[in-house]
Amino acid sequence: MKNPSSYFLLLLICFSAWACDSNLVFEENLNIEDAVWDRNEKAKFAFQIEETGLAYNFYLNFRHSGKYPYRNLYLFTRTESPSGKVALDTAQMLLASPQGRWMGKGIGDLYDYQFRFKEQIIFPDSGEYHFEIEQAMREKELPYVTDIGIRIEKVESE
């Protein structure tokens, strides 16, 4: 890259990537061993919330093979606040259209799907939160699941 405009373009791309994630509070994805998610294996996360007066969006991340046998995914979730309060919830991710077309972003045979689990939530306490995800499908072992994760973002103020 000997051309100065190439350096400028690279710098612009770097700043754009940084700006896109400036509201990111936490994101972690866990690999599912052998791409088979057993019902007894809960995905566990711990994250810090420092600012309690802000609204946050909470996402569930899911990566699967194109061989995943269902159009959807049911999940049980458990959130524990720093004060020990527990919230239990159930979520359903719709992963494919009625015609069978995957809705996630695909590369090769892998598809990434991000589901907005909670919108505009305000965490009541600052400190460390614990979050667990458990697959709630009828099968004890859910095949062709490669990763599960969460993402928490601050909502941009207008």
Side-chain angles (χ1 to χ4, degrees):
M1 278 200 284
K2 295 180 181 179
N3 185 344
S5 63
S6 297
Y7 289 113
F8 177 73
L9 182 59
L10 179 63
L11 189 60
L12 182 63
I13 290 170
C14 290
F15 280 123
S16 297
W18 175 77
C20 290
D21 263 4
S22 64
N23 291 329
L24 177 65
V25 173
F26 179 82
E27 184 167 26
E28 184 178 1
N29 296 296
L30 300 176
N31 181 266
I32 304 297
E33 189 174 331
D34 298 326
V36 177
W37 192 8
D38 188 284
R39 183 176 298 127
N40 297 323
E41 295 176 20
K42 297 177 183 177
K44 298 179 181 184
F45 306 91
F47 58 92
Q48 289 288 128
I49 294 295
E50 301 300 330
E51 300 175 82
T52 58
L54 301 177
Y56 296 85
N57 288 333
F58 197 127
Y59 298 89
L60 301 176
N61 299 331
F62 183 66
R63 177 178 285 163
H64 64 92
S65 161
K67 295 177 184 176
Y68 181 74
Y70 303 104
R71 289 184 46 230
N72 63 351
L73 172 67
Y74 284 97
L75 302 167
F76 295 138
T77 66
R78 180 183 188 278
T79 309
E80 184 176 346
S81 72
S83 66
K85 292 180 184 173
V86 173
L88 303 174
D89 211 338
T90 302
Q92 177 186 199
M93 294 176 146
L94 294 175
L95 304 170
S97 69
Q99 296 77 27
R101 172 173 269 138
W102 296 117
M103 293 192 285
K105 296 178 184 176
I107 297 176
D109 189 44
L110 289 178
Y111 294 87
D112 289 317
Y113 185 74
Q114 192 169 69
F115 171 74
R116 189 175 287 179
F117 176 57
K118 301 278 184 181
E119 290 184 90
Q120 304 262 335
I121 62 170
I122 298 175
F123 290 98
D125 305 317
S126 62
E128 186 173 85
Y129 282 78
H130 295 271
F131 187 77
E132 294 179 358
I133 306 171
E134 175 184 351
Q135 69 98 339
M137 300 293 281
R138 289 189 177 114
E139 288 188 40
K140 181 182 180 324
E141 294 183 336
L142 193 57
Y144 304 108
V145 175
T146 61
D147 298 88
I148 188 74
I150 65 172
R151 178 180 176 95
I152 300 166
E153 300 175 349
K154 292 179 188 176
V155 174
E156 290 185 25
S157 58
E158 297 180 17

